[in-house]
Amino acid sequence: MTETAQVALITALSTFCASLLGIIFTLIITIINKNKDLKIERMKIFEGNRFDAYSELYQYIRNVRLNYDYESEFDRQFLEDLNSSSYKSINKKSGYYSSDIRKLLMTLDCEKGAVEFKDQFTDESILINRDMYLKICNEIYNKIEKIFKEWKK
């Protein structure tokens, strides 16, 4: 093989290798960017769902606080509030809430069970009452307000 042919062959192989490396590099960059885009999209969806969940909880707690009837029987009103479709919807979205809010909602759920079976308790003074219920609702409301303020920053 002549020297010119060898140079041409080496040049062709070098060009081929450089093109192949360019294609591989481009594919790797595309895959990395696609994964970043997916992560960003997931975060957007999660944050949107989280905002919706907090908005729904905010409306529920706001309605409980504004529409609370001090004249009605506490047990009946408490169970109506916690058996409502709004409260059930809120509980389905509890994964979006802060741990503090989840704990308070869990407290309400536990108290609901206690009120439903209060005839089995010998000491009814340990059961939830009107003041405790409204205090828990106010705590949830204040925590939501704090979270909304943080989101505005």
Side-chain angles (χ1 to χ4, degrees):
M1 189 181 270
T2 66
E3 189 176 312
T4 308
Q6 287 177 348
V7 170
L9 182 62
I10 291 173
T11 304
L13 285 173
S14 297
T15 304
F16 176 73
C17 289
S19 297
L20 189 60
L21 284 174
I23 290 170
I24 291 171
F25 184 72
T26 303
L27 284 172
I28 291 171
I29 295 296
T30 302
I31 289 170
I32 290 171
N33 286 338
K34 191 172 187 178
N35 286 339
K36 284 181 184 177
D37 291 344
L38 284 173
K39 286 179 184 177
I40 290 170
E41 197 60 34
R42 283 186 193 136
M43 283 176 41
K44 285 180 185 177
I45 291 170
F46 177 82
E47 287 301 317
N49 290 345
R50 184 172 176 232
F51 180 79
D52 291 344
Y54 270 100
S55 294
E56 187 175 346
L57 178 60
Y58 181 83
Q59 286 300 320
Y60 173 80
I61 294 296
R62 183 175 168 272
N63 287 338
V64 166
R65 293 172 73 221
L66 290 176
N67 299 321
Y68 194 81
D69 183 7
Y70 286 90
E71 301 299 319
S72 72
E73 178 192 356
F74 169 72
D75 290 353
R76 183 186 59 74
Q77 186 168 3
F78 177 71
L79 291 175
E80 280 179 7
D81 288 348
L82 270 60
N83 286 325
S84 70
S85 60
S86 298
Y87 186 77
K88 290 175 184 176
S89 176
I90 287 166
N91 268 342
K92 288 179 184 176
K93 298 173 184 174
S94 62
Y96 293 108
Y97 306 132
S98 68
S99 61
D100 292 341
I101 291 176
R102 285 194 309 267
K103 286 177 187 174
L104 291 169
L105 291 173
M106 182 63 75
T107 300
L108 290 178
D109 287 336
C110 292
E111 293 297 334
K112 175 186 164 207
V115 169
E116 288 175 331
F117 299 104
K118 82 181 216 178
D119 57 330
Q120 296 178 8
F121 285 88
T122 54
D123 184 8
E124 289 190 16
S125 67
I126 61 173
L127 294 175
I128 192 167
N129 60 38
R130 187 180 319 270
D131 293 334
M132 291 167 59
Y133 177 50
L134 292 175
K135 181 181 176 203
I136 290 171
C137 289
N138 284 332
E139 284 182 51
I140 293 171
Y141 183 84
N142 291 333
K143 289 182 186 302
I144 295 170
E145 283 289 332
K146 184 178 176 185
I147 289 168
F148 284 165
K149 284 179 185 174
E150 289 173 7
W151 284 349
K152 287 183 180 180
K153 291 181 182 179

